[in-house]
Amino acid sequence: MKQIALVTGATAGFGKAIATRLVRDGYRVIATGRRRERLDALAAELGPDLLAFELDMTDAAAIAALPGSLPEGWRDVDVLVNNAGLALGMEKAQEADLANWQTMISTNVTGMVELTRVLLPGMVARDRGHVVTLGSTAGIYPYTGGNVYGATKAFVRQFTRNLRCDLLGHNVRVTNIEPGLCGGSEFSTVRLRDPARAAAVYEGTHPLLPEDIAETLSWIIALPRHVNINEVEMMPTCQAAGGLAVARGMKD
């Protein structure tokens, strides 16, 4: 029997690349997202091993109902890929839009923990499974305008670490993948709401691509089940942590 993977946010970027790679690796993939037409197009491209399943990560009732809403034969999820997430805005905290903060928390944190909680008991009962979460280097290294987005990814980092403690004694693995600068997705366009500004983020760089993330995830979940990769922090060679900042000439 082929293993079943559920990938959130599969309509574009990381999620689409991961879903595509896992089907080609021999998994049956439940691809979730809000844009049904994109999910249907992906299913048409990849065939019967991909199940398109519309899901809004801010809809708690839909998440709670997910296991029973899946068709027979698709309910025993072996790999959960918590990919859905977003950043909104680059304003400093004192200037930021509170609604943007709430949307990031609802999607990146609340929806992610609710879906994990719904699927985890089945993995424990079957004594097999793998929870892979897409964090970010923004959860490690602060930067101006990162405020709540970075905080949500720091939450992801600590949540996965604590899951490992809770799952000790069970053959259920947990991994947090933390990419840095990554192009080829809608991330910056959604965040900045300006295609020109979004394109400028990657100007003169060779960033990571969604396929690089999919390759990394494919390797991690293919390892023997006694091997748990706790965290993977990855950046393109054109990126490094910026160090501490100093403001000069401030008034006493």
Side-chain angles (χ1 to χ4, degrees):
M1 290 289 292
K2 293 183 176 182
Q3 292 191 68
I4 297 172
L6 188 150
V7 181
T8 65
T11 57
F14 293 1
K16 182 179 179 181
I18 291 166
T20 301
R21 176 58 185 264
L22 292 185
V23 168
R24 292 174 179 167
D25 283 351
Y27 287 82
R28 299 168 69 210
V29 175
I30 304 162
T32 80
R34 292 177 299 165
R35 291 173 287 189
R36 181 77 204 195
E37 70 285 355
R38 292 198 180 192
L39 295 175
D40 289 342
L42 191 60
E45 176 187 345
L46 296 176
D49 280 338
L50 187 131
L51 173 68
F53 191 91
E54 191 172 348
L55 181 68
D56 183 343
M57 292 298 292
T58 65
D59 187 339
I63 292 172
L66 182 138
S69 301
L70 293 170
E72 289 288 344
W74 288 88
R75 295 179 179 178
D76 292 346
V77 175
D78 298 287
V79 180
L80 168 60
V81 182
N82 281 317
N83 165 71
L86 78 168
L88 293 172
M90 283 287 293
E91 296 83 6
K92 293 180 181 180
Q94 63 271 27
E95 301 160 354
D97 184 337
L98 185 59
N100 285 345
W101 282 8
Q102 291 167 334
T103 299
M104 286 187 280
I105 293 168
S106 295
T107 306
N108 301 359
V109 174
T110 307
M112 182 269 298
V113 299
E114 289 174 351
L115 183 58
T116 302
R117 179 62 182 83
V118 163
L119 294 178
L120 203 57
M123 293 183 180
V124 171
R126 293 185 296 273
D127 199 34
R128 71 175 192 272
H130 201 147
V131 178
V132 183
T133 301
L134 269 295
S136 171
T137 54
I140 307 168
Y141 307 107
Y143 58 87
T144 302
N147 41 70
V148 167
Y149 174 68
T152 65
K153 293 304 183 178
F155 179 96
V156 166
R157 182 176 231 236
Q158 196 62 24
F159 178 65
T160 55
R161 288 177 171 182
N162 279 285
L163 279 183
R164 281 292 303 126
C165 293
D166 292 344
L167 292 166
L168 186 64
H170 301 282
N171 287 303
V172 180
R173 300 184 288 174
V174 184
T175 302
N176 184 29
I177 301 176
E178 301 171 308
L181 183 69
C182 192
S185 75
E186 300 174 338
F187 178 84
S188 290
T189 302
V190 170
R191 182 176 209 172
L192 301 174
R193 295 171 179 167
D194 181 334
R197 286 181 66 200
V201 171
Y202 309 103
E203 187 175 344
T205 73
H206 190 166
L208 299 174
L209 297 173
E211 291 74 18
D212 299 320
I213 311 307
E215 172 76 20
T216 302
L217 185 143
S218 174
W219 166 71
I220 289 168
I221 65 176
L223 291 168
R225 73 174 190 167
H226 72 279
V227 179
N228 191 95
I229 303 299
N230 297 333
E231 294 169 353
V232 175
E233 179 188 327
M234 52 193 296
M235 293 181 178
T237 52
C238 66
Q239 185 182 33
L244 298 175
V246 177
R248 303 184 186 279
M250 292 179 64
K251 295 180 180 179
D252 292 334

